[in-house]
C-alpha cells in the first residue's frame, strides 16, 4: 500500500490557521502516518477538526480554490478517461481536462510520488481543487457507481470469486470491517452499508436478461442504488453470499426461500430478513433492514394529532377489549402497536406478544416468534399464551377465523388485546371480521376501537417552500373536506429537492390516522347491519376524522404534500352532520 508522507505544507497551513497546537498536531501526524492516512482526513475523521475549517485554511494558505462537487455536472468523457482504480486509490474526483491538465478534487494536495504516478499512467498534468472527503466519496459513487472500485478489483484480480463466500465468523458480523483484498463479501457489505446510510428499509436485487437492477426503498419509494453495469457478472456470488449469511440453501434456486441474518453497522445492530424467488433470469432477492434496538416514538411523533392522541391513550389504558390497527402491508401498523405497548409497559403487568416476524425487541415483554414449519401458528400460540397468565396480549396479525375468535374471546375474559388487520379503512375492519366468520355480536361486544393508518412522506425541511401554483381543485377539496370558511387561506408547501433529501423533496415519513371508537350507537349499527358504509357514516356524524381529512390537515400544517395524501387515500363523499 502506498505510504502517504505528511505534507509539510498542510502542517504549516493548519498551524498558521491556528486550528490546532503544534504538540497535538505532531501526535496526530504520527498516528495518521502509521495508518497510511492523509493528515487532514484523519483529523476530520477523528472529530478533531471540522472539514469546513480545514478546507478554508488550506485554501487560504495554499492558494487552492474550494469547489462544491454537488453543484458540478462532470462530463461523462472525463470520468471514462480516468479509471476508477486511480480515482479511488488516490481518493480524488476528476473534474475537468483542459490542455492535458487534469483538474482533480482532493481533500488535500497529493504528494510528489502520487503526482508522478498520475502523470506516468494517465499522461496528464495534475491540478488541484479542494473538496471535503465526504463530497469526494459521494461523487465517486455518483459517477462511477457504488462499490465500483471493489468490482473493478475483482474483475482484474483474476481470483476466485467464491474465495471468501464460505467464510463465516461470529453470528453478528461487523460489515464495516473492510478487507484489503477484493471479494464478493466486501461488495455485499458495501451494498448493505450504503443502504443503511441512506435510511433504506429494503434492498431489492432484480435480475433481467442483460442486466441486474439494485434498488433501495427509501421513505417508501424505490430508488436506484447506482451500481456499475458490471455488477451483473456477480449476481450469482452476491446471492450466494447473502444466502450464507441468512442460513439459506445455496444450491436451491427453483423454490422461494426465507431467512434472516444479524449484522452490525456502526453502533447499530440490524436484523436482515431475506427472501428469494425464482425468475427466468436468476433469483430475485429482497432484504429488509430492521434495527434490532429501535427507538420507539411517542404517539405525537408517530403522527397522532392532539385530539387523536388523547383518545388513543384513553383506549389503550382500558382494562380489557380488542384494539385493531388496520392498513395495507408496510403502512406502519407494527410500529404503532409497539408505541402502544411502550406507553403501557409496566413491571406490574405481564405483556406477551406473538408475531411473524418479531420486528422490535422491547425490554419487559415476552415475545414469541411464529414458526409455521413446525405447525406453530397464531392460533396455537394464543392457546398456550393464555396459560401464562398475561394481562396484555399483542397478536401480530389476525389472518383467519380461528385466530380472530381466540383473540376476541380472550378480550371477553378480561384481557387487553392489540392486533392488526389488512383493510382499507377503519369501518371495513368490521366487515372483514364478519367475512372471516366472526359473529357481529362478538365484534360489537369485544372491540374497543379500529384505527386505520397510512404513511405519507414528510417535506424536506432544508428545501421546503410554499407552492405558489397548486391545483384549484385541491384547494377546493381541502376547504370542503375540513369545513373551512371561505376567508381562511389554504397554504400548501412542497420540497424543491436538494442534496439532503436526494433531490426528492421529502425526508422521512409520518402517519395519518382514522380512529373509529365503538360506542353504543355504532355497536347497534354493527349488530343491525354490519356494512362499512353505514358504520363509517355513523362514526363521521359523531366526529370521526377520516384518513383523507387527517391527511389534508397535515397538508395545511406543512407536514406533507397533497400528492402524498392523494396517493394513499380515496376521495370521500361525507355525510352532512
Amino acid at each position: 500500500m502506498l505510504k502517504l508522507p505528511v505534507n509539510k505544507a498542510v502542517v504549516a497551513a493548519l498551524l498558521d490557521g491556528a486550528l490546532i497546537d503544534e504538540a497535538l498536531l505532531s501526535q496526530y501526524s504520527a498516528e495518521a502516518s502509521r495508518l497510511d492516512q492523509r493528515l487532514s482526513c484523519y483529523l476530520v475523521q477523528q472529530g478533531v477538526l471540522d472539514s469546513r475549517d480545514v478546507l478554508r485554511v488550506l485554501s487560504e494558505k495554499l492558494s487552492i480554490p474550494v469547489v462544491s462537487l454537488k453543484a458540478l455536472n462532470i462530463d461523462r468523457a472525463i470520468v471514462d478517461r480516468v479509471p476508477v482504480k486511480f480515482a479511488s486509490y488516490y481518493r480524488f474526483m476528476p473534474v475537468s481536462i483542459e490542455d492535458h491538465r487534469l483538474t482533480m478534487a482532493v481533500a488535500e494536495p497529493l504528494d510528489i510520488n502520487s503526482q508522478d504516478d498520475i502523470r506516468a499512467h494517465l499522461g496528464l498534468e495534475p491540478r488541484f481543487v479542494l473538496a471535503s472527503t465526504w463530497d469526494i466519496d459521494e461523487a465517486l459513487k455518483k459517477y462511477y457507481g457504488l462499490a465500483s472500485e471493489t468490482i473493478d478489483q475483482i474483475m482484474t484480480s483474476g481470483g476466485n470469486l467464491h474465495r471468501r463466500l464460505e467464510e463465516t465468523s461470529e453470528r453478528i458480523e461487523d460489515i464495516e470491517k473492510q478487507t484489503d483484498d477484493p471479494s464478493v463479501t466486501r461488495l455485499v457489505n458495501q451494498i448493505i452499508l450504503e443502504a443503511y446510510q441512506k435510511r433504506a428499509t429494503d434492498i431489492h436485487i432484480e435480475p433481467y436478461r442483460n442486466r441486474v437492477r439494485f434498488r433501495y426503498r427509501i421513505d417508501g419509494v424505490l430508488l436506484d442504488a447506482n451500481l456499475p453495469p458490471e455488477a451483473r457478472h456477480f449476481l450469482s456470488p452476491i446471492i450466494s453470499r447473502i444466502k450464507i449469511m441468512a442460513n439459506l440453501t445455496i444450491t436451491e434456486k427453483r423454490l422461494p426461500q426465507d431467512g434472516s441474518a444479524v449484522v452490525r453497522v456502526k453502533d447499530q445492530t440490524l436484523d436482515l430478513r431475506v427472501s428469494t424467488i425464482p425468475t427466468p433470469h436468476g433469483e430475485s432477492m429482497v432484504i429488509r433492514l430492521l434495527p434490532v434496538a429501535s427507538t420507539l416514538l411517542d404517539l405525537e411523533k408517530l403522527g397522532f394529532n392532539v385530539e387523536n392522541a388523547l383518545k388513543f391513550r384513553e383506549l389503550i389504558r382500558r382494562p380489557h377489549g380488542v384494539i385493531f390497527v388496520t392498513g395495507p402491508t408496510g403502512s406502519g401498523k407494527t410500529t404503532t402497536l409497539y408505541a402502544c405497548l411502550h406507553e403501557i409497559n409496566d413491571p406490574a403487568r405481564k405483556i406477551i406478544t406473538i408475531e411473524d416476524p418479531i420486528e422490535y425487541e422491547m425490554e419487559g415483554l415476552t415475545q414469541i416468534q411464529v414458526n409455521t414449519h413446525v405447525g406453530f401458528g397464531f392460533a396455537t400460540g394464543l392457546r398456550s399464551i393464555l396459560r401464562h397468565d398475561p394481562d396484555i396480549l399483542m397478536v401480530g396479525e389476525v389472518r383467519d377465523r380461528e385466530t380472530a375468535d381466540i383473540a376476541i374471546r380472550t378480550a371477553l375474559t378480561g384481557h387487553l388485546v392489540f392486533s392488526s388487520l389488512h383493510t382499507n379503512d377503519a369501518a371495513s375492519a368490521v366487515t372483514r371480521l364478519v367475512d372471516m366468520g366472526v359473529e357481529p355480536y362478538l365484534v360489537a361486544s369485544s372491540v374497543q376501537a379500529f384505527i386505520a393508518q397510512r404513511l405519507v412522506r414528510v417535506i424536506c425541511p432544508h428545501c421546503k417552500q410554499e407552492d405558489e401554483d397548486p391545483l384549484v381543485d385541491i384547494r377546493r377539496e381541502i376547504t370542503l373536506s375540513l369545513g373551512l370558511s371561505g376567508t381562511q387561506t389554504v397554504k400548501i408547501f412542497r420540497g424543491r429537492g436538494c442534496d439532503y433529501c436526494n433531490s426528492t423533496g421529502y425526508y422521512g415519513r409520518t402517519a395519518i390516522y382514522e380512529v373509529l371508537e365503538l360506542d353504543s350507537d355504532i355497536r347497534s349499527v354493527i349488530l343491525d347491519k354490519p356494512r362499512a358504509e353505514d358504520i363509517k357514516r355513523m362514526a363521521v356524524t359523531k366526529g370521526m376524522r377520516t384518513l383523507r381529512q387527517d391527511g389534508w390537515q397535515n397538508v395545511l400544517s406543512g407536514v406533507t404534500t397533497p400528492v402524498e395524501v392523494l396517493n394513499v387515500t380515496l376521495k370521500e363523499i361525507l355525510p352532512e352532520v
Side-chain angles (χ1 to χ4, degrees):
M1 181 178 288
L2 176 68
K3 289 286 185 181
L4 296 173
V6 177
N7 191 320
K8 292 182 179 180
V10 173
V11 172
L14 294 176
L15 290 175
D16 291 345
L19 292 182
I20 188 171
D21 64 66
E22 188 171 357
L24 275 177
L25 186 59
S26 177
Q27 175 186 337
Y28 286 124
S29 296
E31 185 64 17
S33 179
R34 186 182 69 82
L35 297 174
D36 297 325
Q37 292 188 16
R38 296 194 180 99
L39 176 59
S40 63
C41 299
Y42 178 77
L43 292 172
V44 172
Q45 181 184 350
Q46 297 299 314
V48 179
L49 298 178
D50 185 87
S51 62
R52 290 169 295 185
D53 293 333
V54 173
L55 290 176
R56 175 179 55 79
V57 168
L58 293 181
S59 178
E60 292 173 356
K61 303 299 180 181
L62 304 180
S63 300
I64 302 175
V66 177
V67 299
S68 172
L69 292 177
K70 300 174 186 176
L72 297 179
N73 186 16
I74 301 171
D75 195 320
R76 186 75 240 175
I78 297 169
V79 176
D80 294 338
R81 177 70 174 78
V82 179
V84 64
K85 59 185 176 184
F86 267 92
S88 61
Y89 185 76
Y90 293 111
R91 205 78 175 273
F92 71 84
M93 182 65 208
V95 175
S96 64
I97 299 176
E98 294 178 2
D99 299 326
H100 296 285
R101 298 182 68 187
L102 170 63
T103 300
M104 56 177 68
V106 292
E108 69 175 47
L110 302 182
D111 59 22
I112 298 299
N113 291 334
S114 301
Q115 295 181 43
D116 288 342
D117 286 345
I118 292 172
R119 292 187 186 99
H121 290 88
L122 299 182
L124 298 170
E125 182 67 26
R127 173 180 174 271
F128 301 122
V129 293
L130 296 174
S132 70
T133 303
W134 189 88
D135 280 349
I136 293 170
D137 289 344
E138 289 300 305
L140 288 172
K141 292 176 188 175
K142 177 180 178 181
Y143 290 100
Y144 287 101
L146 171 64
S148 54
E149 74 281 4
T150 302
I151 292 174
D152 180 73
Q153 289 171 3
I154 296 173
M155 294 186 71
T156 57
S157 65
N160 181 8
L161 293 180
H162 298 274
R163 176 160 50 93
R164 287 176 53 87
L165 283 182
E166 298 296 338
E167 291 186 10
T168 56
S169 55
E170 56 182 333
R171 181 173 176 269
I172 300 178
E173 295 185 53
D174 190 336
I175 66 172
E176 281 193 295
K177 290 180 180 177
Q178 301 293 338
T179 57
D180 293 331
D181 61 315
S183 66
V184 174
T185 298
R186 182 182 177 189
L187 176 58
V188 169
N189 288 350
Q190 287 177 291
I191 293 170
I192 297 173
L193 180 61
E194 179 76 0
Y196 169 77
Q197 292 174 337
K198 288 185 175 294
R199 303 179 298 107
T201 55
D202 301 89
I203 303 171
H204 291 246
I205 304 175
E206 304 157 321
Y208 298 96
R209 183 176 298 278
N210 295 313
R211 67 187 182 101
V212 178
R213 194 177 194 182
F214 292 82
R215 293 193 287 176
Y216 297 146
R217 187 176 293 281
I218 303 172
D219 294 334
V221 177
L222 285 171
L223 299 174
D224 191 81
N226 191 31
L227 263 78
E230 293 80 10
R232 71 180 186 275
H233 300 303
F234 309 109
L235 173 64
S236 181
I238 287 173
I239 296 293
S240 296
R241 169 59 188 161
I242 299 172
K243 280 184 172 182
I244 289 173
M245 293 171 64
N247 199 27
L248 300 178
T249 304
I250 299 179
T251 55
E252 182 54 75
K253 300 180 180 181
R254 300 165 301 173
L255 296 173
Q257 294 189 73
D258 295 291
S260 63
V262 180
V263 299
R264 187 179 293 114
V265 182
K266 298 187 185 298
D267 296 327
Q268 178 71 275
T269 300
L270 298 179
D271 191 355
L272 307 182
R273 304 296 168 86
V274 180
S275 179
T276 69
I277 54 173
T279 74
H281 305 293
E283 288 181 284
S284 179
M285 177 177 282
V286 174
I287 307 166
R288 171 156 288 188
L289 283 66
L290 296 171
V292 171
S294 179
T295 302
L296 295 169
L297 303 175
D298 58 37
L299 299 180
E300 286 82 5
K301 288 183 180 178
L302 286 178
F304 280 98
N305 57 44
V306 175
E307 180 185 345
N308 279 343
L310 287 172
K311 185 187 297 183
F312 203 41
R313 286 195 170 97
E314 190 274 325
L315 287 169
I316 64 178
R317 284 177 170 79
R318 293 185 182 180
H320 55 80
V322 187
I323 296 174
F324 282 106
V325 179
T326 76
T329 301
S331 60
K333 300 186 296 297
T334 303
T335 302
T336 298
L337 288 173
Y338 267 98
C340 297
L341 296 180
H342 178 65
E343 291 233 350
I344 59 178
N345 192 5
D346 189 297
R349 292 173 170 175
K350 175 80 169 182
I351 303 177
I352 302 179
T353 74
I354 179 166
E355 308 165 68
D356 184 23
I358 297 173
E359 293 195 18
Y360 299 102
E361 290 184 8
M362 185 186 295
E363 188 175 347
L365 273 61
T366 301
Q367 297 175 275
I368 302 170
Q369 168 75 55
V370 166
N371 189 347
T372 54
H373 296 297
V374 296
F376 182 65
F378 283 110
T380 307
L382 275 173
R383 293 192 191 94
S384 300
I385 287 172
L386 293 176
R387 292 192 285 272
H388 286 251
D389 189 28
D391 298 296
I392 300 169
L393 297 176
M394 195 267 272
V395 184
E397 183 184 344
V398 169
R399 299 175 179 173
D400 51 48
R401 176 181 177 177
E402 187 178 16
T403 305
D405 271 336
I406 297 173
I408 285 174
R409 293 182 189 279
T410 299
L412 292 174
T413 58
H415 299 83
L416 182 60
V417 181
F418 295 92
S419 191
S420 67
L421 279 170
H422 287 144
T423 62
N424 291 327
D425 59 15
S428 299
V430 177
T431 55
R432 176 84 177 97
L433 290 172
V434 173
D435 288 343
M436 283 183 184
V438 180
E439 294 293 336
Y441 76 89
L442 287 175
V443 177
S445 58
S446 64
V447 178
Q448 297 292 337
F450 295 99
I451 295 95
Q453 73 175 75
R454 296 290 189 279
L455 293 177
V456 293
R457 289 185 290 175
V458 175
I459 299 172
C460 174
H462 290 262
C463 60
K464 181 178 178 179
Q465 63 183 28
E466 186 174 351
D467 191 347
E468 300 292 346
D469 191 30
L471 295 175
V472 176
D473 290 344
I474 296 295
R475 289 185 185 274
R476 184 183 301 114
E477 183 179 343
I478 293 175
T479 301
L480 293 174
S481 180
L482 297 181
L484 304 178
S485 65
T487 58
Q488 290 180 270
T489 304
V490 176
K491 282 190 176 183
I492 296 175
F493 297 87
R494 66 179 180 88
R496 182 179 62 256
C498 62
D499 292 317
Y500 183 75
C501 62
N502 204 23
S503 300
T504 62
Y506 300 96
Y507 191 90
R509 289 191 291 178
T510 189
I512 57 175
Y513 290 93
E514 178 178 281
V515 181
L516 172 57
E517 183 179 1
L518 272 61
D519 61 11
S520 57
D521 293 330
I522 294 176
R523 295 183 199 276
S524 298
V525 174
I526 293 174
L527 290 171
D528 182 37
K529 45 181 179 180
R531 295 196 316 161
E533 296 83 357
D534 298 322
I535 296 167
K536 187 169 188 175
R537 187 177 296 111
M538 173 64 73
V540 170
T541 61
K542 288 180 168 290
M544 182 187 79
R545 176 182 285 177
T546 65
L547 279 170
R548 187 86 154 199
Q549 290 173 322
D550 197 38
W552 290 143
Q553 190 60 56
N554 275 272
V555 170
L556 286 186
S557 301
V559 175
T560 190
T561 62
V563 173
E564 286 294 295
V565 177
L566 293 172
N567 283 341
V568 298
T569 63
L570 296 174
K571 188 171 183 179
E572 300 158 334
I573 301 176
L574 301 176
E576 295 184 3
V577 180

